[in-house]
Amino acid sequence: MRLKTFVSLMSVCLVNAVVWAASPAAPSTDFTLSSTSHIPGATLQPGTYSIHVVNRLSDRIILKVDAANGAQHSTFIGIPNNKIEKPASSGPVKWANSPDGTPYIKGWYFNGSPSVVEFVYPKDDAVAIAKSNPAKVPAVDPASEGKVTDNTLSQDDMQLLTLWVLSLEQVGPGEAPSIKAARYEMASVSQKPAIKALPHTASWLPWVWVVALCSLIAATALRLIASKNRTSPASERQPLRE
Protein backbone atom coordinates (compact mmCIF):
# COMPACT_ATOMS: atom_id res chain seq x y z
CA MET A 1 0.00 0.00 0.00
CA ARG A 2 2.81 2.37 0.95
CA LEU A 3 4.69 1.54 -2.25
CA LYS A 4 1.54 2.15 -4.28
CA THR A 5 1.12 5.60 -2.71
CA PHE A 6 4.73 6.48 -3.44
CA VAL A 7 4.43 5.32 -7.06
CA SER A 8 1.23 7.35 -7.48
CA LEU A 9 2.93 10.51 -6.25
CA MET A 10 5.85 10.05 -8.63
CA SER A 11 3.43 9.39 -11.50
CA VAL A 12 1.72 12.71 -10.81
CA CYS A 13 5.12 14.43 -10.92
CA LEU A 14 5.97 12.77 -14.21
CA VAL A 15 2.65 13.73 -15.80
CA ASN A 16 3.08 17.33 -14.68
CA ALA A 17 6.60 17.42 -16.11
CA VAL A 18 5.39 16.09 -19.48
CA VAL A 19 2.52 18.58 -19.62
CA TRP A 20 4.86 21.43 -18.72
CA ALA A 21 7.37 20.40 -21.37
CA ALA A 22 4.61 20.15 -23.98
CA SER A 23 3.37 23.67 -23.32
CA PRO A 24 3.80 26.21 -26.15
CA ALA A 25 7.48 27.04 -26.70
CA ALA A 26 6.61 30.59 -27.76
CA PRO A 27 3.71 31.93 -25.67
CA SER A 28 1.47 34.59 -27.15
CA THR A 29 2.50 38.22 -26.94
CA ASP A 30 -0.33 40.71 -26.63
CA PHE A 31 -0.14 44.10 -28.33
CA THR A 32 -2.39 47.04 -29.10
CA LEU A 33 -2.58 49.04 -32.33
CA SER A 34 -3.68 52.65 -32.18
CA SER A 35 -3.98 52.95 -35.96
CA THR A 36 -4.79 50.73 -38.93
CA SER A 37 -1.82 48.61 -40.04
CA HIS A 38 -1.09 46.02 -42.72
CA ILE A 39 0.32 42.55 -42.07
CA PRO A 40 0.73 39.80 -44.69
CA GLY A 41 -2.70 38.90 -46.01
CA ALA A 42 -4.69 41.16 -43.69
CA THR A 43 -5.34 44.70 -42.50
CA LEU A 44 -5.56 45.18 -38.74
CA GLN A 45 -7.90 47.82 -37.40
CA PRO A 46 -7.09 49.64 -34.13
CA GLY A 47 -7.49 47.23 -31.24
CA THR A 48 -5.85 44.50 -29.19
CA TYR A 49 -4.20 41.46 -30.75
CA SER A 50 -1.82 38.62 -29.93
CA ILE A 51 1.04 37.21 -31.98
CA HIS A 52 2.75 33.87 -31.51
CA VAL A 53 4.92 31.34 -33.31
CA VAL A 54 2.99 28.39 -34.71
CA ASN A 55 5.88 26.45 -36.22
CA ARG A 56 9.59 26.79 -36.94
CA LEU A 57 11.33 25.33 -39.96
CA SER A 58 14.87 25.45 -41.26
CA ASP A 59 14.32 28.54 -43.40
CA ARG A 60 11.09 30.12 -42.10
CA ILE A 61 8.82 30.66 -39.16
CA ILE A 62 5.03 30.36 -39.26
CA LEU A 63 3.37 33.17 -37.29
CA LYS A 64 -0.23 33.79 -36.30
CA VAL A 65 -1.98 36.98 -35.28
CA ASP A 66 -5.35 36.81 -33.50
CA ALA A 67 -7.72 39.60 -32.59
CA ALA A 68 -8.65 39.72 -28.90
CA ASN A 69 -12.34 39.72 -29.77
CA GLY A 70 -11.91 36.60 -31.94
CA ALA A 71 -13.05 38.42 -35.07
CA GLN A 72 -9.82 38.09 -37.01
CA HIS A 73 -7.09 35.48 -37.46
CA SER A 74 -4.14 35.64 -39.83
CA THR A 75 -1.39 33.08 -40.36
CA PHE A 76 1.69 33.95 -42.43
CA ILE A 77 5.43 33.39 -42.89
CA GLY A 78 8.33 35.18 -41.22
CA ILE A 79 12.12 34.96 -41.51
CA PRO A 80 14.72 36.02 -38.92
CA ASN A 81 16.72 39.01 -40.13
CA ASN A 82 19.59 40.28 -37.95
CA LYS A 83 20.14 43.23 -40.32
CA ILE A 84 17.04 44.97 -38.99
CA GLU A 85 17.72 47.17 -35.99
CA LYS A 86 16.10 45.74 -32.89
CA PRO A 87 13.72 47.98 -30.92
CA ALA A 88 14.21 48.55 -27.20
CA SER A 89 11.42 46.13 -26.29
CA SER A 90 9.15 43.51 -27.78
CA GLY A 91 6.89 44.85 -30.48
CA PRO A 92 6.37 45.62 -34.16
CA VAL A 93 8.88 47.15 -36.55
CA LYS A 94 7.29 49.12 -39.40
CA TRP A 95 8.41 49.96 -42.91
CA ALA A 96 9.59 53.56 -43.15
CA ASN A 97 7.40 54.37 -46.16
CA SER A 98 3.90 53.15 -46.89
CA PRO A 99 2.61 52.60 -50.44
CA ASP A 100 -0.96 53.66 -49.58
CA GLY A 101 -0.58 55.80 -46.45
CA THR A 102 -1.39 52.90 -44.11
CA PRO A 103 1.65 51.55 -42.23
CA TYR A 104 2.96 48.12 -43.20
CA ILE A 105 4.45 46.14 -40.33
CA LYS A 106 7.90 45.00 -41.40
CA GLY A 107 8.41 42.45 -38.65
CA TRP A 108 8.24 41.66 -34.98
CA TYR A 109 10.83 41.65 -32.24
CA PHE A 110 10.39 39.11 -29.45
CA ASN A 111 12.17 39.77 -26.17
CA GLY A 112 15.29 37.61 -25.89
CA SER A 113 15.62 37.05 -29.64
CA PRO A 114 18.89 38.07 -31.32
CA SER A 115 17.04 39.28 -34.42
CA VAL A 116 13.76 40.67 -35.69
CA VAL A 117 11.41 38.21 -37.41
CA GLU A 118 10.66 39.87 -40.74
CA PHE A 119 7.22 39.33 -42.26
CA VAL A 120 6.96 37.75 -45.73
CA TYR A 121 4.34 39.54 -47.83
CA PRO A 122 2.34 38.29 -50.84
CA LYS A 123 3.88 39.36 -54.15
CA ASP A 124 1.62 42.36 -54.89
CA ASP A 125 2.11 43.88 -51.45
CA ALA A 126 5.84 43.15 -51.55
CA VAL A 127 6.18 44.91 -54.92
CA ALA A 128 4.39 47.99 -53.57
CA ILE A 129 6.61 48.04 -50.47
CA ALA A 130 9.78 47.61 -52.56
CA LYS A 131 8.78 50.55 -54.76
CA SER A 132 8.41 52.75 -51.68
CA ASN A 133 11.42 51.59 -49.68
CA PRO A 134 15.07 51.15 -50.73
CA ALA A 135 15.34 47.66 -49.28
CA LYS A 136 14.89 44.00 -50.11
CA VAL A 137 11.40 42.75 -49.33
CA PRO A 138 10.70 39.05 -48.60
CA ALA A 139 7.83 37.74 -50.69
CA VAL A 140 5.84 34.71 -51.75
CA ASP A 141 3.88 34.22 -54.95
CA PRO A 142 1.24 31.54 -54.28
CA ALA A 143 -0.45 32.01 -57.66
CA SER A 144 2.71 30.99 -59.52
CA GLU A 145 2.75 27.74 -57.53
CA GLY A 146 -0.88 26.82 -58.12
CA LYS A 147 -2.30 28.51 -55.02
CA VAL A 148 -5.27 30.83 -55.33
CA THR A 149 -4.60 33.29 -52.51
CA ASP A 150 -2.22 33.75 -49.63
CA ASN A 151 -5.08 34.44 -47.21
CA THR A 152 -6.37 30.86 -47.23
CA LEU A 153 -3.10 28.96 -47.42
CA SER A 154 -2.73 26.07 -45.02
CA GLN A 155 0.36 25.70 -42.85
CA ASP A 156 1.43 22.79 -45.04
CA ASP A 157 1.32 25.05 -48.10
CA MET A 158 3.29 27.74 -46.29
CA GLN A 159 6.02 25.23 -45.51
CA LEU A 160 6.47 24.45 -49.22
CA LEU A 161 6.16 27.89 -50.82
CA THR A 162 9.26 29.32 -52.47
CA LEU A 163 10.60 32.39 -50.69
CA TRP A 164 11.67 35.37 -52.80
CA VAL A 165 13.38 38.70 -52.13
CA LEU A 166 12.17 41.68 -54.17
CA SER A 167 14.03 44.94 -54.68
CA LEU A 168 13.80 47.99 -56.91
CA GLU A 169 16.57 48.08 -59.51
CA GLN A 170 17.63 50.73 -62.01
CA VAL A 171 17.92 48.85 -65.30
CA GLY A 172 19.60 51.51 -67.40
CA PRO A 173 19.96 55.27 -67.97
CA GLY A 174 16.63 56.91 -68.68
CA GLU A 175 14.67 53.74 -67.99
CA ALA A 176 12.15 53.35 -65.22
CA PRO A 177 13.28 51.20 -62.27
CA SER A 178 12.03 47.62 -62.31
CA ILE A 179 11.47 45.02 -59.65
CA LYS A 180 14.22 42.44 -59.32
CA ALA A 181 13.28 39.07 -57.86
CA ALA A 182 15.85 36.70 -56.36
CA ARG A 183 15.49 33.44 -54.50
CA TYR A 184 15.74 33.86 -50.76
CA GLU A 185 18.99 32.45 -49.40
CA MET A 186 18.95 31.27 -45.82
CA ALA A 187 22.66 32.07 -45.39
CA SER A 188 21.95 35.78 -45.84
CA VAL A 189 20.43 36.00 -42.35
CA SER A 190 21.25 34.58 -38.96
CA GLN A 191 18.64 31.85 -39.11
CA LYS A 192 19.84 29.21 -36.68
CA PRO A 193 20.49 31.38 -33.61
CA ALA A 194 17.23 33.23 -34.15
CA ILE A 195 15.20 30.03 -34.05
CA LYS A 196 16.90 28.90 -30.88
CA ALA A 197 16.38 32.19 -29.15
CA LEU A 198 12.71 32.95 -29.78
CA PRO A 199 10.95 33.83 -26.52
CA HIS A 200 11.00 31.27 -23.72
CA THR A 201 12.28 28.42 -25.87
CA ALA A 202 15.59 27.62 -24.14
CA SER A 203 14.93 28.16 -20.45
CA TRP A 204 15.62 25.30 -18.04
CA LEU A 205 13.80 27.07 -15.20
CA PRO A 206 10.52 25.08 -15.61
CA TRP A 207 12.44 21.80 -15.36
CA VAL A 208 14.26 23.03 -12.27
CA TRP A 209 10.94 23.75 -10.61
CA VAL A 210 9.50 20.39 -11.66
CA VAL A 211 12.51 18.46 -10.32
CA ALA A 212 12.43 20.45 -7.07
CA LEU A 213 8.71 19.79 -6.65
CA CYS A 214 9.11 16.08 -7.31
CA SER A 215 12.01 15.89 -4.85
CA LEU A 216 9.96 17.65 -2.17
CA ILE A 217 6.98 15.34 -2.68
CA ALA A 218 9.21 12.25 -2.64
CA ALA A 219 10.98 13.37 0.56
CA THR A 220 7.65 14.09 2.26
CA ALA A 221 6.26 10.71 1.22
CA LEU A 222 9.32 8.87 2.51
CA ARG A 223 9.19 10.77 5.80
CA LEU A 224 5.51 9.92 6.28
CA ILE A 225 6.19 6.24 5.54
CA ALA A 226 9.09 6.18 8.01
CA SER A 227 6.98 7.92 10.66
CA LYS A 228 4.17 5.44 10.16
CA ASN A 229 6.60 2.54 10.58
CA ARG A 230 7.84 3.98 13.91
CA THR A 231 4.32 4.43 15.24
CA SER A 232 2.92 1.06 14.11
CA PRO A 233 1.08 -0.91 16.89
CA ALA A 234 3.26 -3.25 18.89
CA SER A 235 1.06 -6.10 17.80
CA GLU A 236 2.27 -5.65 14.26
CA ARG A 237 5.91 -5.93 15.30
CA GLN A 238 5.75 -8.86 17.79
CA PRO A 239 8.67 -11.30 17.40
CA LEU A 240 8.01 -14.86 16.34
CA ARG A 241 7.62 -17.32 19.21
CA GLU A 242 8.99 -20.76 19.27
Side-chain angles (χ1 to χ4, degrees), residues 28-234:
S28 298
T29 299
D30 296 331
F31 65 99
T32 300
L33 293 176
S34 58
S35 61
T36 302
S37 300
H38 293 298
I39 61 173
T43 299
L44 303 181
Q45 300 301 322
T48 301
Y49 300 85
S50 64
I51 181 171
H52 62 275
V53 174
V54 177
N55 198 2
R56 305 183 194 114
L57 305 172
S58 60
D59 66 342
R60 68 196 69 187
I61 297 172
I62 309 299
L63 301 163
K64 186 177 182 183
V65 170
D66 299 305
N69 59 10
Q72 190 170 18
H73 308 278
S74 183
T75 304
F76 52 92
I77 302 171
I79 56 173
N81 189 343
N82 61 3
K83 296 180 181 179
I84 300 176
E85 183 178 356
K86 295 186 295 185
S89 59
S90 176
V93 177
K94 297 183 179 181
W95 283 101
N97 302 313
S98 172
D100 59 4
T102 301
Y104 279 74
I105 297 180
K106 184 175 186 178
W108 191 273
Y109 174 64
F110 294 98
N111 279 332
S113 175
S115 62
V116 171
V117 179
E118 187 172 9
F119 294 171
V120 179
Y121 278 86
K123 178 186 174 182
D124 291 344
D125 287 339
V127 168
I129 294 172
K131 288 181 177 179
S132 303
N133 297 270
K136 295 181 178 180
V137 184
V140 288
D141 186 11
S144 68
E145 300 184 46
K147 313 299 180 185
V148 178
T149 173
D150 189 50
N151 296 340
T152 58
L153 285 174
S154 67
Q155 289 187 41
D156 290 338
D157 288 334
M158 291 183 184
Q159 294 177 14
L160 299 175
L161 280 177
T162 302
L163 299 181
W164 299 91
V165 177
L166 306 184
S167 58
L168 196 63
E169 184 181 58
Q170 184 69 45
V171 179
E175 297 184 23
S178 62
I179 292 296
K180 176 184 177 182
R183 290 286 292 265
Y184 166 74
E185 295 182 7
M186 185 173 57
S188 63
V189 296
S190 180
Q191 173 72 18
K192 198 169 184 179
I195 289 180
K196 288 184 177 180
L198 283 171
H200 307 293
T201 59
S203 175
W204 286 94
L205 185 58
W207 285 105
V208 173
W209 281 106
V210 170
V211 172
L213 179 61
C214 290
S215 299
L216 180 61
I217 292 176
T220 302
L222 290 174
R223 186 170 183 178
L224 289 175
I225 293 173
S227 177
K228 188 173 182 181
N229 287 337
R230 288 196 298 269
T231 58
S232 296

Side-chain angles (χ1 to χ4, degrees), residues 14-25 206-207 210:
L14 181 60
V15 170
N16 288 334
V18 171
V19 171
W20 202 334
S23 61
W207 285 105
V210 170

